[in-house]
């Protein structure tokens, strides 16, 4: 049990480092230090080294976001969109604009196309888009429109988090949320307020 907690602590710490610094700017030594773990235990739990640890961190972040979406989507895509936006607002504000998304951080790194962290990031974006698209379809959106709109939501919010970090302000997130809500209302057939 303690061994599992130590491993989990390293995964959480790696996700935090990735969302703040990216993969290439983070060493295994720094990850171990950030997790409060001996360097040797990092290689014990993650014999694949930095790549394996980053992959697990991306999967961890994916799971958090997917659970959040799954919890909020039954209330409808508009409510879920607002909650999704609030989640990202909390990330940037709680970190004083120093953290974003570890999934995006890995996605923009110069990694081989077959590298495990990149594949985990692609799977995460697919899962989030799929959850949103399913909800949009369930609320009246056509198949292709639902997928296109879900992709727009994920892409817009991921990009907007980067803008918020650069500008040290959430105004872009607020404007993007308003625009996305209009789009969602349009695709599910509800009038724009």
């Amino acid at each position: 049990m303690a061994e599992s907690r130590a491993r989990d602590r390293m995964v959480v710490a790696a996700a935090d480092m990735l969302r703040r610094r990216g993969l290439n700017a983070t060493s295994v030594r720094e990850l171990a230090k950030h997790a409060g773990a001996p360097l040797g235990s990092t290689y014990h739990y993650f014999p694949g080294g930095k790549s394996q640890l980053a992959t697990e961190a991306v999967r961890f972040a994916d799971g958090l976001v997917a659970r959040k979406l799954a919890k909020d989507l039954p209330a409808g895509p508009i409510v879920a969109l607002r909650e999704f936006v609030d989640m990202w607002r909390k990330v940037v504000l709680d970190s004083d604009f120093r953290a974003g998304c570890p999934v995006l951080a890995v996605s923009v790194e110069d990694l081989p196309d077959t590298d495990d962290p990149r594949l985990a990031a692609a799977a995460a974006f697919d899962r989030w888009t799929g959850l949103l698209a399913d909800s949009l379809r369930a609320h009246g959106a056509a198949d292709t429109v639902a997928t296109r709109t879900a992709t727009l939501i994920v892409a817009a919010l991921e990009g907007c988090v980067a803008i918020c970090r650069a500008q040290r302000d959430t105004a872009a997130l607020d404007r993007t949320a308003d625009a996305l809500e209009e789009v969602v209302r349009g695709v599910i057939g509800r009038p724009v307020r």
Side-chain angles (χ1 to χ4, degrees):
M1 184 65 108
E3 191 164 306
S4 176
R5 281 194 304 267
R7 185 182 193 286
D8 291 346
R9 192 173 65 246
M10 285 184 229
V11 170
V12 171
D16 186 52
M17 292 285 290
L18 290 174
R19 72 189 189 125
R20 291 172 188 277
R21 298 181 59 195
L23 182 59
N24 290 334
T26 304
S27 71
V28 173
R29 183 176 303 281
E30 291 169 316
L31 289 169
K33 183 177 177 182
H34 190 64
L39 182 60
S41 66
T42 305
Y43 289 106
H44 169 74
Y45 294 120
F46 305 98
K50 185 169 150 178
S51 178
Q52 182 184 2
L53 184 53
T55 300
E56 291 296 320
V58 168
R59 288 180 182 148
F60 167 77
D62 172 22
L64 287 178
V65 172
R67 284 189 298 279
K68 173 79 173 136
L69 286 170
K71 176 183 164 273
D72 296 331
L73 283 167
I78 293 169
V79 170
L81 172 63
R82 289 180 189 148
E83 292 295 325
F84 200 33
V85 168
D86 287 345
M87 178 193 77
W88 290 118
R89 181 186 328 284
K90 183 171 174 35
V91 166
V92 296
L93 289 175
D94 287 356
S95 68
D96 194 28
F97 300 95
R98 287 181 168 82
C101 177
V103 177
L104 179 64
V106 166
S107 301
V108 299
E109 296 280 352
D110 186 20
L111 302 172
D113 289 340
T114 58
D115 200 56
D116 289 342
R118 181 182 303 283
L119 296 174
F125 289 138
D126 284 346
R127 182 154 86 157
W128 305 347
T129 301
L131 288 166
L132 289 162
D134 289 346
S135 178
L136 291 165
R137 278 196 255 343
H139 287 83
D143 280 345
T144 57
V145 172
T147 302
R148 189 171 57 224
T149 303
T151 302
L152 173 66
I153 291 168
V154 172
L157 292 178
E158 287 288 340
C160 200
V161 167
I163 292 170
C164 290
R165 289 181 71 189
Q167 295 177 340
R168 301 190 56 74
D169 190 339
T170 60
L173 188 59
D174 297 330
R175 291 189 302 267
T176 301
D178 290 344
L180 288 173
E181 188 171 326
E182 283 184 33
V183 171
V184 170
R185 286 186 184 285
V187 302
I188 63 172
R190 293 202 179 140
V192 176
R193 291 186 271 160

